[in-house]
Amino acid sequence: MQKTILASKYSGLIIMLVMSSFFSVAQQSAIEIEADSLVERQDYQSALNLYNSLLEKSKPETEEQYQLYHKRAVCYYGLQRFEEALQDINTLIEKYPQPQAKLLRAYINQAVENYEAQLDDLNDLLLLNPDNPEMLQWRASVLMESQKYAEAQKDIRKLLGYQASPELKSYLGLTYYYLENPDSALIIFDEVIKDDPTFIQAYIYAASVCLDEEAYPLALTFINNGLQADPANTTFLFYKGIALVETDQVKEGCRCLTKAFDAGIDDVADYLKTYCYQ
């Protein structure tokens, strides 16, 4: 089942990280101003060439000059050259551990799926702003990916205090399931469905939990209710086929499994071989 809560990238992030400068334009060279303008236009390679020329001329000494490492790291990030981006942002952070630099490093480590490194920076950033919902949501996502479900549960509960969305509440249900408490997970999925019967993912999560627990009649209840809300959903057909064949309703189960397979769900193949092609 899906664990990720936060989308992997924000479209405007790279520009924001560079252009929210700590220093006035008057203190910048003409080359640096031109490079910043290129970043605004997302021409990262051309901007990188200019930042390289500046860094080759002289080694940065002041905090202002060290921002060139930040800006060049943004270019490397935009070009998906993540190892070089990390080298530059680490150079800056070792000398000047600025929150904005840690934010960029967290995004770089997100791109390379380094969960522990992301958590280190997100924890530091949340110490500065503990109630930032975007950071909390990001950290909850990383905690889920790291299988730290009890910690993720705390962040999700806090987020629910800001925005009681069915998606977030469903993720709370998933934390209970991954913590081997399926009954509590199903209670939460029931609450989500009651509050928003159109939120299809809650039916899918609930049905999946029931199938994993071999509670096939209850799985069929969630599946059939989900099909009423979304009759064309092929995941429900797949799940219904499993529940039916597991309860000895093989003919009807194989019919559902075949439809799901024809709709492109390849995972159905093993069930078809086991139950239907004998």
Side-chain angles (χ1 to χ4, degrees), residues 127-164:
L127 284 175
L128 300 174
N129 190 357
D131 296 321
N132 185 310
E134 292 178 354
M135 288 293 155
L136 282 169
Q137 189 165 320
W138 185 352
R139 185 171 70 179
S141 174
V142 178
L143 288 168
M144 292 283 281
E145 295 287 356
S146 304
Q147 300 183 17
K148 298 179 179 180
Y149 304 121
E151 295 175 56
Q153 200 172 82
K154 294 176 183 177
D155 281 352
I156 294 170
R157 286 192 178 279
K158 193 169 185 179
L159 283 163
L160 285 169
Y162 302 132
Q163 50 181 32

Side-chain angles (χ1 to χ4, degrees), residues 36-101:
D36 292 350
S37 177
L38 289 166
V39 172
E40 284 191 83
R41 301 198 296 272
Q42 300 184 32
D43 185 352
Y44 302 118
Q45 185 59 59
S46 297
L48 175 64
N49 294 338
L50 294 179
Y51 291 134
N52 281 339
S53 69
L54 290 169
L55 285 165
E56 287 167 3
K57 287 179 182 177
S58 62
K59 185 177 180 180
E61 296 180 355
T62 67
E63 184 173 359
E64 175 185 355
Q65 292 167 346
Y66 262 81
Q67 298 314 306
L68 286 171
Y69 287 117
H70 189 165
K71 294 180 179 184
R72 189 170 70 174
V74 169
C75 292
Y76 283 135
Y77 177 82
L79 294 167
Q80 299 185 26
R81 294 166 62 176
F82 301 122
E83 184 175 345
E84 292 156 299
L86 275 174
Q87 289 176 355
D88 270 3
I89 207 64
N90 284 335
T91 298
L92 172 60
I93 290 172
E94 286 169 9
K95 186 77 172 177
Y96 302 105
Q98 302 158 346
Q100 199 172 37

Side-chain angles (χ1 to χ4, degrees), residues 107-118 145:
Y107 272 97
I108 297 167
N109 280 313
Q110 182 187 62
V112 297
E113 298 184 348
N114 187 331
Y115 301 124
E116 290 303 319
Q118 283 180 76
E145 295 287 356

